[in-house]
Amino acid sequence: RLLGCGTAKHAAEIGAFLIESLARVPSVAHISSEFRTNEPVINPNALHFAISQSGETADTLSAVKEIQLKGGQVHGVVNVVGSSIARQCARGVYIHSGPEQAVASTKAFSNMVAALAIFSIQIARSRTLGKEKGKEIINGLQQIPHLIEEYLDDQGPIMEAVEAVKDAKSVLFLGRGISAPVAKEGALKLMEVAYIPCLAYPAGEMKHGPIALLEDGSPVIFIVPNDHVKEKSLSAIHECRARGAKIILIHEEDDIEATEEADISIPVPSCSYLLTPLLTVVPTQLIAYRTALALGCDVDR
Ligand code: BG6
């Protein structure tokens, strides 16, 4: 079980996905504030992770205490050394992201995901994951910083995306599978730094609600890496387009098929699909940042 709030919860969702996919261990992410008040059943043999940038989020700290009170052990995945959550857990890892200047964490998100990916690979190697496959994913992880730099050198049409979202009534973020938490994280960033109402949904749920909001020109940001659920995401894009939505698509650079579906196409370098959140989240952070600046918001507060 992985617990967190906001960005940390989104990293927890990706961690749960990785643990289940790679290690085939049932895994679930919880919102800390709901966890402690929902009378959770604690399995003392389960692994619990408390994820937090600041290490001071009261909801997560209370959840940790709740688990410990009921006989469970909690490992911290925390940035700030010596923080309350780190001390309360007394075990786990520091993610060493350096100070986050504002409430909206960015590099801490990446390091939370990276730490949980490393854990997933290690636990998977002790179970079902073969040596070669394990090595391949670790090598992929080591390449991520270079790929992020490569993307930052050529960020794509971020300013076109900013123009599409900055005066919108609301912005919808969609992604499937491992990209669903990335969509949530993109929406959280845009809300928290540019104060634009945002919705995030797993792409398959789009037709069960948010589609009602789409009108001519509604901006929809799709996160669609070249994975096994891409075709399903493309069909959600078709449905949005049919209602006149403006599609801002974050996709892998060699994916020509996806590009054809977009009004604004933002390519990121390709990598193993399990690691794509580390790349696809970056343009969403830049969109939030640049939109906030365009609207005259102070991004450091
Ligand atoms: C919220 C912030 O209050 O706390 C989010 O608005 C943040 O941006 C969340 O992700 C969790 O913070 P932390 O420090 O526990 O990771």
Side-chain angles (χ1 to χ4, degrees):
R1 280 173 148 175
L2 302 93
L3 298 115
C5 297
T7 291
K9 163 67 167 36
H10 303 149
E13 287 182 27
I14 294 168
F17 192 101
L18 291 172
I19 294 166
E20 283 211 346
S21 308
L22 287 168
R24 309 306 295 154
V25 178
S27 186
V28 59
H30 294 271
I31 293 175
S32 306
S33 57
E34 285 293 298
F35 188 83
R36 85 193 145 109
T37 50
N38 283 1
E39 298 187 37
V41 176
I42 302 298
N43 174 356
N45 297 319
L47 274 172
H48 297 88
F49 291 95
I51 302 167
S52 176
Q53 189 287 121
S54 63
E56 301 297 342
T57 302
D59 288 323
T60 303
L61 183 58
S62 313
V64 170
K65 290 179 180 168
E66 175 78 13
I67 295 165
Q68 291 173 335
L69 203 66
K70 292 183 171 168
Q73 286 189 350
V74 194
H75 299 254
V77 179
V78 174
N79 190 34
V80 177
V81 175
S83 55
S84 303
I85 294 170
R87 282 184 284 120
Q88 186 68 35
C89 292
R91 68 192 76 215
V93 291
Y94 285 120
I95 57 172
H96 297 301
S97 304
E100 283 282 9
Q101 300 299 343
V103 130
S105 66
T106 47
K107 55 194 177 170
F109 172 80
S110 302
N111 281 14
M112 287 165 185
V113 172
L116 292 167
I118 292 168
F119 170 74
S120 311
I121 295 163
Q122 284 182 337
I123 189 169
R125 280 287 293 121
S126 72
R127 292 166 67 95
T128 51
L129 187 71
K131 192 172 173 185
E132 286 312 310
K133 187 73 190 156
K135 265 192 186 165
E136 190 185 311
I137 303 172
I138 286 287
N139 288 341
L141 198 54
Q142 285 171 335
Q143 286 308 309
I144 294 292
H146 309 299
L147 296 180
I148 292 176
E149 275 172 23
E150 194 182 310
Y151 168 69
L152 290 175
D153 285 343
D154 180 9
Q155 301 173 5
I158 294 292
M159 292 315 289
E160 278 182 44
V162 170
E163 279 306 310
V165 303
K166 79 180 189 355
D167 300 315
K169 277 194 284 193
S170 65
V171 181
L172 178 60
F173 285 75
L174 298 170
R176 272 190 102 101
I178 202 161
S179 300
V182 180
K184 291 187 195 174
E185 178 58 8
L188 177 65
K189 284 287 104 86
L190 191 56
M191 277 192 296
E192 281 198 321
V193 304
Y195 307 98
I196 295 175
C198 294
L199 273 179
Y201 268 80
E205 279 296 288
M206 184 272 300
K207 57 184 174 294
H208 304 299
I211 196 166
L213 297 178
L214 297 181
E215 53 190 29
D216 232 16
S218 302
V220 182
I221 301 187
F222 267 93
I223 324 291
V224 186
N226 200 1
D227 59 15
H228 61 289
V229 288
K230 183 183 94 175
E231 291 305 321
K232 288 180 180 295
S233 296
L234 293 182
S235 97
I237 292 179
H238 291 150
E239 290 177 56
C240 291
R241 281 176 79 98
R243 280 155 184 83
K246 186 158 197 156
I247 309 296
I248 300 159
L249 180 66
I250 297 171
H251 63 93
E252 290 181 42
E253 62 192 358
D254 51 4
D255 190 353
I256 308 293
E257 188 192 3
T259 318
E260 286 163 5
E261 307 294 334
D263 294 295
I264 299 169
S265 144
I266 304 177
V268 296
S270 293
C271 64
S272 153
Y273 99 91
L274 291 169
L275 302 175
T276 53
L278 290 164
L279 284 160
T280 54
V281 77
V282 182
T284 70
Q285 294 168 340
L286 286 171
I287 291 170
Y289 172 66
R290 298 267 170 221
T291 304
L293 291 182
L295 294 173
C297 304
D298 180 352
V299 289
D300 290 326
R301 290 180 67 101

